[in-house]
Amino acid sequence: QGPHTPFLRVLHALRRRWLPALALGLTLGAGASAGAWFVIPSPFTAFSDLRINAVPERVLFKTSEAEPGFSTYKQTQSILVKSPFVLNAALRQPGIADLPLLKEAEAATGKRPIDWLEDKLKVSSPATEFLRVSLSGERPDDLAAVVNAVVQAYLDEVVNADQKRRRERLRQLEDVHQELEEGLRTKQAALKRLAEQLDTTDPETFNVKDQLSYEYYTKLRTELVQIRYELMQAKIQQASQAAATPKGDKAQRTTDAEGTGTSGEAAANDRATPSEELIQARILSNPAYTMAYQTVNQQRMLVDQLKRKFGPKHPRVVDAEWQLQQRLNDLEKMKEDLRAAIEKELAWNSKQNAQSQAAQLAKKIGMLEKEKEEIESQLAKLEFKQGRTGVLSFELESIRKEIGQSEQIAARVSDEIERLKIELKAPPRVTLHRKADVPRYRDWKKKAAMAGFAGLGTLGLVVFALLWLDLQSGKITLLEDVTESAGLSLVGTLPMVGQSRVRFSSNGSRYDNWRDLLTESVDATRTMILREAERSGLQVVMVTSSISGEGKTTLSCHLAASLARSGRNTLLIDADVRRPAVHRIFDLPMRPGLCEAVRGDASLDEVLRPTNVEGLTLVSAGRVDEQFVKLLAHDGAEPLLNRLRGMFDFVILDSSPVLLVSDSLLIAQHADAALFAVRRDVSRVSKTVAAAMRLSMLDVPILGAVAIGLYEGGYGFGYTYYDYGYSHGYGYGYVRPLPTYGRRVHTPPPPPSQSPEQPAGTHEPVEGPTS
């Protein structure tokens, strides 16, 4: 399905249900609004405003106190206004706890005054930097008194307490600063004693010298470790080379290693086999080999040409193949010679490289040994001095670092103390902007807003419910419902028919457009039927639907007329004997018809009636009774249909709906295939699938479906559909025809000016609207 399919389904549901949804929604919405207006009270409301500065005011400095963001701070203050300790402080104020408002609330709800206030007191934000504390009720004087008491308690318990907290923080900082000063004096005395033990009164100078000596010692130790590691790696490499020397020439190679520095690595390299990739690359890069290879390829091409020209047994071909084989042998011999020479050259190069590497490795080991001895000698001289002064130096450095850190902390604490002393004089961040006045008018805005919300909400709920119910009904709305959901092949599409949607202009142009579109659509469906007839010998087509009102009679009449226009001798049989309609469309009598022919009450010539469409013959329904139903159940219609097959090119059966009566299932067994009519806004996916399954169980081939009102041209909203009732009953022995049960079939009048291609009175029948 496309990305817009759900949206289109909602639009179609809205198109079908907008009028009842709007009518019912407005009715229920008006009732809900009226009920809300009478139910929702309109009390007095007293309020007081507090201002919260977005940026805290400062005298001069910014302290290190934690400052939350304005939004967080504001939300915190709105919670603190209704906190229990603030409400308790408000109730402790003189006369507040004895107000009639609180007494009546406690008696009516059974809640304590503090619980009632926490529930009823509202804290809102009318502007960015403002908090509004409000309370609604029926006693204006008491409301204003309670709000003012709560606001004053908040200022005393929260805002003023914040100033007390800052003063307490100042006292704590002063205590910390005093402790830091005492610790600094103690550490400075210890530093002086350590400097005297090291025979210097200048600790800084000693520290620099000792630090340089220590760094030099550390660097020597690092270099010694690195040299030992490199020496160990070199000796391991030399040992591995010696172990790789073959036993047969080990003595000779040991002598070479002692005299020339060649190690066992050279021996290993002598035995190393060059890689095959390298040998192949060297062979392919040889000019002589390349030229010989090209000559072989040219000889192959010559052999192929001679074979195509003379054949594989021709003397010239045999001679050319012999020459090709000789050149291949020469090429292979050249390749072997080149391989031997290349392997010898690579082995000699590898030997020379191994000897050079062994000499360099022996030289490196000697240099590393000398460096190791020199560094160990220097380290032995420095260890004595480091052992004597190391401990004192470490203690001296530790104390100096501690003193530096303590001085930095003490400086920061001292600076924060001075800043906080100044900023304690700044005004508080939260101030009282407006005290609560005694309200004189009731709050009507909230009542009106709630009533409007109730009405609109009810309207939206009704519209949503009706749309949801319509969507759940599974009505076929889009072409995807036929092809994907119902699983039927789409044989064709027809525009929506019905007089209520066919409007005529003064010159009849709109009717002409609609008629031409209908004709083209039916002809397209006819083309599909004819193609299937050529392939499978299709002759008898039953047009049916799942339920009534899906346009099967419309489809049957137009399809039969289209087949007749194409030059095929066509017969249209009204097999919907319980609700016959075709005879009225063509203005012909209903009896004698199919029922009389099956019962034997009338001959075939009596029931075959020509129509005003050339090449189209009609067999009307006739009068149904119990005998016809029994004969139909015992294949009584089969002999008649077999005779009609030989008389006509095509036989179109307008049958009854599959799910309503069993007549269509009995007739379908004598048809070559079934064609479903589905109609937008009438057909349902579940019923269409069920009808198709019933026919499939009887092994009746299903051609597919013709969709009415789902034409892709986009005119679907311009036409409507009809509906009619269907009954399972019939009167046994009735002589009079069955009633129509309110079903109206209409043939649209011709336009004011007739087209020269279609004379008056010969236009195709169109199924009209129903009540």
Side-chain angles (χ1 to χ4, degrees):
Q1 296 185 355
H4 305 295
T5 300
F7 177 71
L8 292 177
R9 295 188 191 280
V10 174
L11 282 183
H12 282 283
L14 185 61
R15 171 182 56 79
R16 293 189 292 264
R17 301 298 181 185
W18 72 269
L19 185 58
L22 187 62
L24 182 61
L26 289 177
T27 302
L28 296 180
S33 296
W37 178 265
F38 288 107
V39 172
I40 298 175
S42 54
F44 294 98
T45 301
F47 64 89
S48 177
D49 291 335
L50 297 167
R51 181 177 180 182
I52 302 176
N53 292 326
V55 179
E57 295 188 9
R58 299 186 179 90
V59 177
L60 184 61
F61 300 107
K62 180 179 180 180
T63 64
S64 62
E65 295 174 291
E67 293 182 359
F70 175 68
S71 177
T72 303
Y73 182 80
K74 186 177 179 180
Q75 292 178 7
T76 302
Q77 300 307 309
S78 64
I79 297 298
L80 291 176
V81 171
K82 297 175 59 176
S83 58
F85 68 92
V86 171
L87 298 180
N88 275 323
L91 293 174
R92 287 196 299 267
Q93 295 181 17
I96 298 300
D98 297 329
L99 289 175
L101 175 68
L102 299 179
K103 296 292 185 181
E104 293 173 359
E106 184 177 6
T109 62
K111 295 182 179 180
R112 298 180 304 166
I114 184 174
D115 297 330
W116 183 82
L117 282 177
E118 189 174 1
D119 183 38
K120 296 297 182 181
L121 199 66
K122 304 298 180 184
V123 180
S124 59
S125 177
T128 303
E129 293 189 342
F130 287 87
L131 282 181
R132 172 165 293 179
V133 183
S134 59
L135 185 64
S136 300
E138 295 297 329
R139 292 182 174 273
D141 295 336
D142 293 356
L143 293 173
V146 171
V147 171
N148 286 328
V150 171
V151 170
Q152 187 60 45
Y154 164 74
L155 294 174
D156 294 339
E157 299 295 329
V158 178
V159 178
N160 295 335
D162 184 65
Q163 291 294 99
K164 296 178 182 179
R165 181 186 58 78
R166 299 185 72 186
R167 294 190 182 93
E168 178 63 22
R169 182 171 180 272
L170 175 61
R171 186 188 63 78
Q172 293 175 354
L173 288 175
E174 290 176 344
D175 294 342
V176 171
H177 186 263
Q178 183 177 357
E179 294 177 359
L180 288 173
E181 290 292 338
E182 293 178 357
L184 275 174
R185 287 193 291 268
T186 302
K187 292 176 182 178
Q188 287 172 352
L191 179 63
K192 184 177 180 181
R193 289 193 300 269
L194 286 175
E196 292 175 353
Q197 292 178 11
L198 293 172
D199 298 328
T200 177
T201 57
D202 187 3
E204 296 295 333
T205 302
F206 171 78
N207 184 66
V208 171
K209 293 180 179 180
D210 187 69
Q211 183 66 24
L212 291 175
S213 177
Y214 180 76
E215 290 178 357
Y216 180 64
Y217 179 82
T218 303
K219 185 176 181 180
L220 287 177
R221 290 295 299 252
T222 303
E223 291 182 357
L224 179 61
V225 171
Q226 182 64 27
I227 289 174
R228 286 177 176 174
Y229 177 76
E230 294 179 0
L231 183 60
M232 179 184 65
Q233 292 289 336
K235 289 182 177 180
I236 291 174
Q237 186 176 1
Q238 190 178 46
S240 63
Q241 292 175 353
T245 304
K247 295 182 179 181
D249 56 351
K250 184 173 182 180
Q252 179 63 33
R253 298 197 181 275
T254 303
T255 303
D256 293 340
E258 293 175 354
T260 63
T262 303
S263 66
E265 182 181 0
N269 290 333
D270 289 342
R271 295 182 292 106
T273 302
S275 64
E276 184 64 25
E277 292 80 2
L278 179 59
I279 295 174
Q280 291 292 338
R282 295 284 293 272
I283 292 174
L284 294 176
S285 62
N286 186 273
Y289 182 82
T290 302
M291 184 176 297
Y293 186 79
Q294 293 176 354
T295 303
V296 169
N297 287 336
Q298 292 175 359
Q299 187 65 26
R300 282 198 182 100
M301 295 174 61
L302 178 61
V303 170
D304 293 338
Q305 292 176 359
L306 292 176
K307 282 183 177 180
R308 288 193 297 269
K309 185 175 181 180
F310 300 105
K313 303 298 183 177
H314 195 272
R316 293 185 60 183
V317 175
V318 174
D319 182 63
E321 289 179 344
W322 182 82
Q323 292 180 13
L324 174 62
Q325 185 62 38
Q326 292 298 320
R327 291 179 181 178
L328 285 173
N329 295 336
D330 294 341
L331 181 65
E332 186 64 25
K333 184 176 182 307
M334 181 184 296
K335 184 176 181 181
E336 294 297 329
D337 295 340
L338 288 174
R339 174 184 292 273
I342 290 170
E343 289 179 351
K344 183 176 181 181
E345 179 184 356
L346 292 176
W348 186 85
N349 291 336
S350 176
K351 177 180 179 181
Q352 294 298 321
N353 292 335
Q355 292 176 354
S356 176
Q357 292 176 1
Q360 293 177 1
L361 183 61
K363 185 177 179 180
K364 179 180 179 181
I365 291 174
M367 293 177 63
L368 290 175
E369 290 286 357
K370 292 180 180 180
E371 290 181 7
K372 174 176 171 292
E373 293 175 0
E374 181 65 23
I375 292 175
E376 288 177 347
S377 175
Q378 293 183 19
L379 286 174
K381 296 177 182 179
L382 291 174
E383 282 181 355
F384 175 75
K385 183 177 179 180
Q386 290 292 336
R388 183 172 62 88
T389 62
V391 177
L392 296 178
S393 175
F394 178 77
E395 292 180 358
L396 180 66
E397 183 64 23
S398 299
I399 292 176
R400 289 185 69 255
K401 289 182 178 180
E402 292 177 0
I403 290 174
Q405 294 175 356
S406 298
E407 287 177 346
Q408 292 179 2
I409 296 174
R412 290 179 58 186
V413 172
S414 177
D415 182 65
E416 182 67 17
I417 289 173
E418 297 302 324
R419 290 171 180 266
L420 193 55
K421 286 180 179 179
I422 296 174
E423 292 306 317
L424 280 173
K425 300 177 182 179
R429 189 173 184 178
V430 181
T431 57
L432 177 63
H433 178 71
R434 176 180 177 179
K435 293 184 63 176
D437 298 326
V438 177
R440 294 181 296 174
Y441 305 102
R442 294 182 179 273
D443 188 5
W444 298 101
K445 293 182 180 180
K446 180 179 179 181
K447 185 174 184 177
M450 293 301 294
F453 177 77
L456 293 177
T458 304
L459 174 61
L461 184 62
V462 169
V463 172
F464 173 79
L466 290 181
L467 291 181
W468 184 83
L469 291 175
D470 188 88
L471 291 173
Q472 295 300 313
S473 65
K475 291 182 178 179
I476 292 179
T477 305
L478 303 173
L479 289 176
E480 290 84 350
D481 297 334
V482 180
T483 58
E484 296 180 9
S485 301
L488 296 177
S489 301
L490 188 63
V491 179
T493 57
L494 271 64
M496 194 68 78
V497 295
Q499 186 187 18
S500 62
R501 291 299 182 184
V502 181
R503 306 301 184 192
F504 307 116
S505 60
S506 59
N507 57 3
S509 60
R510 186 165 185 179
Y511 172 80
D512 291 338
N513 294 335
W514 173 84
R515 184 188 62 187
D516 293 342
L517 181 60
L518 177 62
T519 302
E520 291 296 330
S521 302
V522 175
D523 289 347
T525 304
R526 177 197 67 195
T527 302
M528 302 294 291
I529 299 296
L530 293 177
R531 176 59 178 167
E532 182 64 25
E534 292 177 359
R535 290 189 301 179
S536 61
L538 179 68
Q539 189 175 5
V540 180
V541 179
M542 184 185 76
V543 180
T544 186
S545 61
S546 59
I547 58 175
S548 62
E550 296 186 79
K552 63 175 183 58
T553 301
T554 301
L555 177 59
S556 302
C557 295
H558 284 295
L559 181 59
S562 179
L563 289 170
R565 285 200 314 273
S566 67
R568 273 73 175 179
N569 189 14
T570 306
L571 173 64
L572 174 62
I573 300 178
D574 189 354
D576 190 357
V577 295
R578 301 176 191 258
R579 290 293 177 266
V582 179
H583 67 283
R584 284 176 292 201
I585 294 177
F586 289 93
D587 196 17
L588 294 173
M590 185 183 71
R591 64 178 69 174
L594 177 64
C595 295
E596 286 76 10
V598 172
R599 289 194 302 264
D601 296 341
S603 64
L604 192 59
D605 294 335
E606 293 176 339
V607 299
L608 293 175
R609 295 187 179 91
T611 65
N612 56 1
V613 180
E614 184 179 356
L616 177 61
T617 305
L618 172 67
V619 174
S620 58
R623 184 179 63 85
V624 63
D625 57 7
E626 184 178 5
Q627 182 183 1
F628 170 78
V629 175
K630 291 181 178 180
L631 291 173
L632 188 63
H634 291 82
D635 298 331
E638 184 176 5
L640 177 64
L641 291 176
N642 290 335
R643 292 180 59 190
L644 293 175
R645 286 176 183 270
M647 299 172 62
F648 295 92
D649 297 330
F650 284 96
V651 178
I652 304 299
L653 297 173
D654 176 25
S655 71
S656 56
V658 174
L659 300 182
L660 297 184
V661 292
S662 61
D663 298 352
S664 57
L665 299 178
L666 298 174
I667 295 177
Q669 301 178 53
H670 310 303
D672 297 334
L675 183 65
F676 271 90
V678 295
R679 194 174 200 140
R680 189 197 70 196
D681 300 340
V682 176
S683 302
R684 300 190 180 187
V685 173
S686 59
K687 294 185 178 298
T688 302
V689 172
M693 290 181 62
R694 288 191 181 184
L695 293 179
S696 298
M697 294 175 65
L698 296 176
D699 295 330
V700 178
I702 298 176
L703 293 177
V706 175
I708 301 177
L710 297 179
Y711 189 71
E712 294 178 334
Y715 60 80
F717 287 97
Y719 301 95
T720 185
Y721 59 86
Y722 68 94
D723 191 11
Y724 66 95
Y726 222 95
S727 173
H728 290 272
Y730 52 86
Y732 298 115
Y734 281 5
V735 178
R736 61 181 179 86
L738 293 176
T740 61
Y741 291 94
R743 173 182 165 92
R744 300 199 307 269
V745 181
H746 177 74
T747 302
S753 60
Q754 290 294 334
S755 172
E757 292 81 0
Q758 185 175 1
T762 62
H763 56 275
E764 293 181 3
V766 180
E767 191 170 296
T770 64
S771 57

